[in-house]
Amino acid sequence: MLLRRIADLRPGEGPRVVLAALWFCCLLTTNYTLRPLRDAMAVAGGVEDLHWLFTVTFLVMLAAVPVYGFAVARCGRARLVPLVHRFFSLNLLVFFALMQGFIGGGSEAVQLWTARVFFVWTSVFNLFVISLFWSVMADLFSGSDARRLFGLISVGGSIGAIAGPTIGGALSLWLSPSLLPLVGAALLELSLAAMRRLPPRDPRTPNNEAEGAPVGGSPFAAIPELLRSPTLLGICAYVLLLTMSSTVLYFIQAQIVALSFTDDATRTAVFAGIDLSVNLLSLLAQTLLTGRLIRRIGLGWSLAVLPLLCALGFVGLALAPVLAVLVGFQILRRAGNYALSRPAREVLYTSVDRSQRYRAKSLIDTVVYRGGDALTGWAFAGCKALGLGLGGIALLAAPLAGLWAGVGALIGRRADASERATD
């Protein structure tokens, strides 16, 4: 009854929402268990080489998307999700063996390259599994239901994102960070158990499709699908500006943390502490505010709030590029993303067809996202080479965030108008 009052939950929706939230909880626990280790390894591999790691990640994404498109074309949801999850689980077991020294003897060179490869792998993994999750959610919920419920489903992710840094920080300080990949593999198996129990979409809902069937078509159909759709092009621009702003902040974070702390265990614990703070704030907002805010202020403002916060945050960093300002900015930015911007963005995909939800969405969430990372990484390195300090770079990012806000307001208002026209 309490859940129904908070989230406007209707009869029969409870099992689907709870299982979806549990699936998302397991995914985000995995991601945030591994994330502090990834960030610490990025620093250990050399902050001056981060732009190369982002470039390699983008190239790996380019190679992976057609392979994923091939799987989408031929596998229904019941086969596609286990295939993707178990591929990544196997990779995690290999990383565990490398970090334990079972492969390569634990030499310094092997550990350095393991750190670099793990950074790239994690940057690919987290986008693919989360993109796939939201593609399935867009299959299972209509646009109006998504506006009510995606925030509540995201609560599961925030619970997982609280558990992940707690696990990552505790294991890093008390045992060894090298155990984290083994924990991640087990969590991916738990997420599959939740996915398999999800009820299908209500056949009485409008535009219901055979969401469990293979999509079919060409593995390379994502690009023409993207170019034909104004909605997808708008989302593409929004995601590109989002990742460019996020990457600038990530590079500034790496520089400040590298100067503030000297050992990997402490860095991992600091990153875990930031993650924990972010997700506690996100959890409160998603439980009490997200669904109501999206319906009250509309998708336009829901998508514009985060960029406006980022513009203010970059101005703050320009004035004082220090650890305290960085931590406060990161907490507000990421909490705003998880509590409002991300659920609102995923609602947009309920208005496109299934092929676009899986193929074009994956292209945007992976290649476009990591392409923005790579482009921004090189731009950051260029600014540093020209002698620009962290404060100057932050100041350049502020108008970029303003443009991002304008794009979000435009695509959100169009989606709201389209939803009202179909009511």
Side-chain angles (χ1 to χ4, degrees):
M1 290 297 294
L2 177 62
L3 187 61
R4 187 172 296 177
R5 286 199 300 270
I6 291 173
D8 191 19
L9 198 64
R10 296 172 185 173
E13 291 178 334
R16 184 181 293 120
V17 169
V18 170
L19 285 166
L22 179 59
W23 179 7
F24 199 32
C25 177
C26 292
L27 289 183
L28 268 290
T29 304
T30 305
N31 182 37
Y32 280 95
T33 297
L34 300 175
R35 184 185 179 110
L37 177 60
R38 181 202 72 170
D39 291 342
M41 284 188 161
V43 175
V47 294
E48 301 304 326
D49 292 329
L50 275 176
H51 57 289
W52 284 107
L53 291 177
F54 277 78
T55 301
V56 172
T57 301
F58 171 64
L59 294 175
V60 172
M61 286 292 192
L62 280 177
V65 164
V67 177
Y68 176 76
F70 182 86
V72 166
R74 286 157 179 78
C75 297
R77 188 178 69 224
R79 292 180 57 202
L80 178 65
V81 176
L83 179 67
V84 171
H85 283 215
R86 285 192 169 140
F87 170 77
F88 286 122
S89 294
L90 180 61
N91 294 168
L92 282 168
L93 294 178
V94 173
F95 280 119
F96 171 72
L98 285 166
M99 292 177 190
Q100 291 291 330
F102 299 148
I103 301 174
S107 69
E108 185 175 340
V110 169
Q111 293 302 311
L112 177 62
W113 280 103
T114 298
R116 291 170 174 168
V117 173
F118 185 77
F119 178 90
V120 172
W121 179 90
T122 308
S123 301
V124 172
F125 156 78
N126 60 11
L127 293 186
F128 263 110
V129 294
I130 293 172
S131 179
L132 177 58
F133 169 81
W134 284 113
S135 293
V136 175
M137 293 302 102
D139 265 352
L140 294 177
F141 295 91
S142 67
S144 60
D145 290 342
R147 282 170 167 79
R148 288 187 300 108
L149 300 174
F150 275 12
L152 188 60
I153 290 170
S154 296
V155 169
S158 289
I159 292 172
I162 292 168
T166 304
I167 294 169
L171 286 178
S172 297
L173 290 175
W174 298 340
L175 295 174
S176 169
S178 63
L179 296 174
L180 299 182
L182 197 60
V183 175
L187 288 166
L188 285 178
E189 284 300 309
L190 288 176
S191 72
L192 281 180
M195 183 278 297
R196 288 194 175 103
R197 288 166 174 78
L198 266 172
R201 183 171 177 171
D202 188 339
R204 296 169 295 178
T205 57
N207 302 319
N208 187 50
E209 303 171 79
E211 77 273 0
V215 170
S218 167
F220 301 95
I223 293 177
E225 287 176 344
L226 173 61
L227 296 177
R228 287 195 302 264
S229 170
T231 298
L232 292 175
L233 286 172
I235 298 172
C236 183
Y238 186 87
V239 169
L240 182 61
L241 291 165
L242 179 153
T243 189
M244 292 174 72
S245 299
S246 300
T247 303
V248 169
L249 186 56
Y250 184 85
F251 274 68
I252 292 173
Q253 172 183 281
Q255 298 275 343
I256 292 175
V257 171
L259 293 173
S260 301
F261 305 100
T262 57
D263 65 287
D264 288 346
T266 303
R267 288 169 181 160
T268 302
V270 167
F271 289 129
I274 293 173
D275 288 342
L276 181 60
S277 302
V278 165
N279 294 303
L280 283 170
L281 185 57
S282 299
L283 176 61
L284 288 173
Q286 288 163 345
T287 304
L288 301 174
L289 298 174
T290 299
R292 286 183 166 82
L293 269 179
I294 291 177
R295 284 178 289 153
R296 178 70 61 85
I297 67 176
L299 289 179
W301 274 110
S302 297
L303 292 168
V305 166
L306 175 63
L308 293 174
L309 284 175
C310 286
L312 293 175
F314 281 123
V315 171
L317 272 178
L319 297 173
V322 297
L323 184 64
V325 175
L326 168 73
V327 170
F329 182 11
Q330 276 284 37
I331 290 172
L332 286 176
R333 182 194 70 83
R334 288 169 50 195
N337 183 35
Y338 301 137
L340 194 58
S341 179
R342 183 63 187 258
R345 193 169 88 238
E346 298 302 340
V347 169
L348 298 173
Y349 287 104
T350 62
S351 64
V352 301
D353 65 40
R354 291 191 66 241
S355 179
Q356 293 171 332
R357 287 174 201 159
Y358 284 89
R359 277 196 284 251
K361 182 181 189 308
S362 177
L363 179 70
I364 293 171
D365 288 347
T366 58
V367 172
V368 172
Y369 195 102
R370 292 308 180 201
D373 279 345
L375 176 64
T376 309
W378 283 101
F380 189 95
C383 289
K384 292 285 289 183
L386 292 172
L388 202 60
L390 297 182
I393 295 172
L395 189 60
L396 288 177
L400 185 73
L403 176 61
W404 175 23
V407 170
L410 179 63
I411 61 175
R413 287 172 183 170
R414 285 180 176 174
D416 285 332
S418 176
E419 180 71 16
R420 286 192 295 269
T422 58
D423 285 344

